[in-house]
Coordinates of all heavy atoms in Angstrom, one line a residue:
Chain A
Q326 N 5.3 -5.6 -1.2 CA 6.6 -5.4 -0.5 C 7.6 -5.0 -1.5 O 7.5 -5.3 -2.7 CB 7.0 -6.7 0.1 CG 6.1 -7.1 1.3 CD 6.5 -8.4 2.0 OE1 7.4 -9.0 1.5 NE2 5.8 -8.7 3.0
Chain B
T105 N 12.3 -8.8 -3.6 CA 11.4 -9.7 -2.8 C 11.0 -10.9 -3.5 O 11.0 -12.0 -2.9 CB 10.2 -8.8 -2.3 OG1 10.7 -7.7 -1.6 CG2 9.3 -9.7 -1.4
D222 N 14.8 -9.1 4.2 CA 14.2 -8.3 3.2 C 14.0 -6.9 3.8 O 13.0 -6.7 4.5 CB 12.9 -8.9 2.7 CG 12.5 -8.2 1.4 OD1 13.2 -7.3 0.9 OD2 11.5 -8.7 0.8
E223 N 14.9 -6.0 3.5 CA 14.8 -4.6 4.1 C 14.6 -4.7 5.6 O 13.6 -4.1 6.1 CB 13.7 -3.8 3.4 CG 14.0 -3.6 1.9 CD 12.9 -3.0 1.2 OE1 12.2 -2.1 1.7 OE2 12.7 -3.4 0.0
Ligands
MG280 MG1 10.6 -5.8 -1.6

Side-chain angles (χ1 to χ4, degrees):
Chain A
Q326 291 179 355
Chain B
T105 302
D222 195 358
E223 294 172 39

